[in-house]
Amino acid sequence: MELTNKQITVIFKALCDENRVQIFRLLQNGEKCACKLLEAMQCTQPTLSHHMKILCDSGLVVGRKEGKWMYYSISAEGTEVAVNALRELTKVSESGEC
């Protein structure tokens, strides 16, 4: 599946912020409640929500609601799409044409 330039931009925008990279690293150990992410990030709830929206919109992270809490985890499908996008962008053409 070939992604549009817009779709690729959304994926990499999610990873171009130090806070979102930190969140992504926190999620490497498995699903986390938003309250645990909030503690680890030492930021306000609206700031965390902003970062989580960008990560979820990119497809790299998925959220699920349980009661009043949101739980987030890394999306295996989303990360595969991101890896393939990077591979596609960095592939050098053999033809040498413009």
Side-chain angles (χ1 to χ4, degrees):
M1 173 179 111
E2 191 167 315
L3 298 172
T4 66
N5 290 343
K6 177 68 175 171
Q7 290 169 313
I8 292 170
T9 302
V10 168
I11 290 168
F12 290 106
K13 175 185 177 184
L15 295 173
C16 74
D17 180 271
E18 189 175 347
N19 293 309
R20 291 191 288 273
V21 170
Q22 183 180 356
I23 292 167
F24 208 80
R25 287 185 184 267
L26 290 168
L27 295 175
Q28 286 179 312
N29 296 322
E31 183 180 69
K32 298 272 186 302
C33 176
C35 61
K36 294 296 182 190
L37 293 173
L38 203 52
E39 281 177 24
M41 294 296 297
Q42 298 181 344
C43 65
T44 65
Q45 189 277 326
T47 299
L48 179 66
S49 290
H50 168 76
H51 290 306
M52 297 316 298
K53 177 172 178 12
I54 291 170
L55 285 167
C56 288
D57 286 351
S58 74
L60 294 170
V61 171
V62 292
R64 68 175 182 86
K65 191 169 178 96
E66 188 174 304
K68 66 177 187 169
W69 298 107
M70 282 297 293
Y71 290 83
Y72 295 98
S73 59
I74 293 174
S75 166
E77 182 181 307
T79 54
E80 185 177 332
V81 169
V83 167
N84 289 336
L86 182 60
R87 193 173 289 125
E88 177 187 319
L89 282 174
T90 57
K91 185 168 67 173
V92 178
S93 174
E94 298 295 323
S95 68
E97 296 179 21
C98 293

